[in-house]
Amino acid sequence: MGARVRLTPLAEAHAEPLFEAFSADTDGRGATYLPYGPFRSAGELLSFATLRAAGPDRFYTVVTDRPVGFASYLRIAPDAGSIEIGNLYFSQHLQRTTAATEALSLMIGAAFAHGYRRVEWKCDALNAPSCRAAERLGFRFEGVFRQATVYKGRNRDTAWYAILDAEWPALAARHAAWLDPSNFDGDGRQRASLETIVS
């Protein structure tokens, strides 16, 4: 739990409020680079949540004053000490907010706290906002896997990013300094960006 958000396992009870939050995205753009969505009804999202709760990936609902999005751990490989953060479906109420940064920082920190050595971030190489988000959070670009998969009827080249356990302490300090209330003015504007802040 953070100061602005909490992460709770994705549950059937979240379907209705999540569908309401996602409905603000009237053209479905938020699901462009996901293999599923946009959801056409709360019932469809309920079916999705039910399946994911029973699956191998660990989905979490991001909650501020209400459920506003979800994310997951996937490609979970304890023996290799590797885990990926993905399936980010953030509603317009969460996108580009301090709460979104805090949610992802919490997920990265929890992975390392549980003994993982490597946290990965992968996205469609065409998904410029996701690439920028990865770099802003401190993930290092490791290359592009060409024609890695096909989804929604199109090819996907996958951009790979990662943070290693030895890199996280300095990044965690930067995240904490950026999230500190003193880094924001009375209107909520950041005084220093996450990329430039000195912890």
Side-chain angles (χ1 to χ4, degrees):
M1 179 180 293
R4 302 163 185 84
V5 298
R6 62 186 174 89
L7 298 168
T8 185
L10 179 65
E12 295 177 3
H14 301 146
E16 188 72 43
L18 280 173
F19 179 71
E20 182 180 342
F22 293 144
S23 293
D25 177 21
T26 56
D27 62 5
R29 189 173 300 176
T32 298
Y33 295 106
L34 292 170
Y36 44 80
F39 299 108
R40 294 166 292 184
S41 67
E44 186 178 331
L45 205 159
L46 175 60
S47 297
F48 174 89
T50 302
L51 286 171
R52 294 315 185 272
D57 300 338
R58 295 291 171 255
F59 276 75
Y60 292 89
T61 302
V62 181
V63 181
T64 53
D65 58 332
R66 55 184 166 152
V68 288
F70 60 72
S72 81
Y73 293 116
L74 64 157
R75 293 173 56 89
I76 302 167
D79 291 345
S82 178
I83 193 168
E84 180 182 344
I85 293 174
N87 288 300
L88 272 62
Y89 199 168
F90 287 2
S91 73
Q92 293 181 354
H93 307 288
L94 182 59
Q95 294 170 12
R96 300 178 62 84
T97 66
T98 310
T101 299
E102 184 175 50
L104 293 168
S105 184
L106 288 170
M107 290 188 73
I108 299 166
F112 286 121
H114 281 85
Y116 287 91
R117 305 163 51 246
R118 172 183 170 86
V119 176
E120 299 177 339
W121 176 295
K122 302 186 186 76
C123 60
D124 191 314
L126 295 176
N127 188 352
S130 186
C131 292
R132 285 195 300 269
E135 292 167 359
R136 176 177 173 271
L137 290 164
F139 286 86
R140 293 192 185 183
F141 177 66
E142 295 185 332
V144 173
F145 280 37
R146 299 176 298 159
Q147 297 187 7
T149 189
V150 175
Y151 70 121
K152 291 183 175 176
R154 64 178 182 270
N155 174 68
R156 170 173 142 164
D157 294 342
T158 298
W160 285 52
Y161 297 84
I163 296 173
L164 304 184
D165 51 358
E167 297 164 347
W168 178 239
L171 287 172
R174 274 177 47 196
H175 285 208
W178 186 83
L179 289 164
D180 191 279
S182 66
N183 188 44
F184 299 89
D185 65 19
D187 294 319
R189 290 187 296 260
Q190 65 180 6
R191 301 183 191 278
S193 69
L194 184 54
E195 299 95 326
T196 61
I197 200 164
V198 177
S199 58

